[in-house]
Amino acid sequence: MARIGSKLPRSATFPTPKTSQFTPPARASTLPPTAANSQVGKPAVAGKPAAAAPAAPELKPLKHPGMPEGGPTYSPWEKTTGESSNLMVSGGDNKLTAPAGAKQNMFIDRPGNPFQKDVFGGTLSGNVGSMQASTTSHSGGGVHHYSAQAELAGPNAAYQLQKVHAGRLGVTTGNLSAEANSFKASAQAGVSADTNSHAYTAALTGKAETGVGVAASASHDFNRHVGAYIKGEGKASATAYAEGVASLDPRTATALLSGQVGAAATAGAYGTAGGHLGRLHGSVTGGVVAGAAAQAGGKLGLENGFFKQSAEVNAAAGVGTHLKSDVAVDLRHHIKPGIAAGLRPGAGAATAVASPAATLEPEKSRVEKFFSKVFQG
């Protein structure tokens, strides 16, 4: 568990290297990742998919060719100030994973009422809420697992709007997306015993979170060699969690009790401007974040033959800034301009999509082809 302070990972309110996009939140799910879905009281059947409510199709905003995501990047400088840029707490996730072939008894399975509508030229999707509660059990082969888990998701909604225009001066693309989650909570309690490796674990965890976010971007490409884009994003979130774990492993002389609680609330906004000129790509990002976080934890017992007792309380609050510059040079071998005319309206019409997505991918160099053959057979 990371400590709150200067060494904590950067707050989730900051931009990530992934393309900005919003996916309608999934319904609550307590199914263990390694156990297949099954009917009440019946063993799980491998390969049988779990019943799920119809999900809205994933919306993927167009990626501007000048954005450095997905390719080699170089950051000549980066600067962060303020304690709030380090605010983040994590914990409360399920600790016990059911073994393959575990039996699941479903007590509550309400997928809610997912919806999707075309509104104001965009797509509105969401769910009025969902709930699921189940128990999982397994005994055999020296492995014993018994757990109960529940998950509750409140009303949530997401909106996506995308427009593309092709003209004589190039292609312009605009995206607007927003999402809101009223709340989401999960909890798990159970025990796991592996008599083969003499590892025994009992855990009790709980977590609750809420958040909203909005993002917008616009890009324009005069041709395949010159283009620019801007994007902005704002997020606000709150999280609280608690967890307790008891572990026993005679072979490593470990008998340990540990517990931890934490809470955090952050809000941030950032903007990015960038583009590409020939093979040179660049961007500048600036952001600000504010928030507060606190967590406390402790442990008592034997750990690898050492008796340990520790307690820790941390808290932080403040306002911080974030500045970053990115520069990248594309050294890949490209298709000749005579073959790929770029993003002019004629090229867009040829593929029936007048957008940056219609740009032909760069041709692989001989070195890339060599490694592709070596590692892909």
Side-chain angles (χ1 to χ4, degrees), residues 11 151 166-167 195 197-198 211 213 226 233 235 281 301 309 316 321 325 329-330 337 343 349 362:
S11 172
E151 189 164 320
T195 58
S197 59
H198 301 284
V226 182
E233 184 172 358
K235 293 181 180 180
H281 300 247
Q309 184 279 326
T321 60
S325 171
V329 179
D330 189 355
L343 295 175

Side-chain angles (χ1 to χ4, degrees), residues 126-211:
N127 199 331
V128 297
S130 59
M131 179 186 300
Q132 197 173 74
S134 65
T135 61
T136 306
S137 61
H138 176 82
S139 181
V143 178
H144 307 276
H145 174 97
Y146 305 95
S147 65
Q149 45 275 328
E151 189 164 320
L152 175 65
N156 52 73
Y159 179 75
Q160 177 75 44
L161 174 65
Q162 183 178 101
K163 296 294 183 181
V164 179
H165 173 72
R168 296 195 176 199
L169 298 179
V171 179
T172 302
T173 304
N175 290 283
L176 173 65
S177 55
E179 69 172 353
N181 295 299
S182 58
F183 68 90
K184 182 179 180 181
S186 61
Q188 185 192 53
V191 295
S192 178
D194 189 343
T195 58
N196 299 319
S197 59
H198 301 284
Y200 310 90
T201 304
L204 175 63
T205 61
K207 183 178 183 179
E209 54 190 343
T210 184

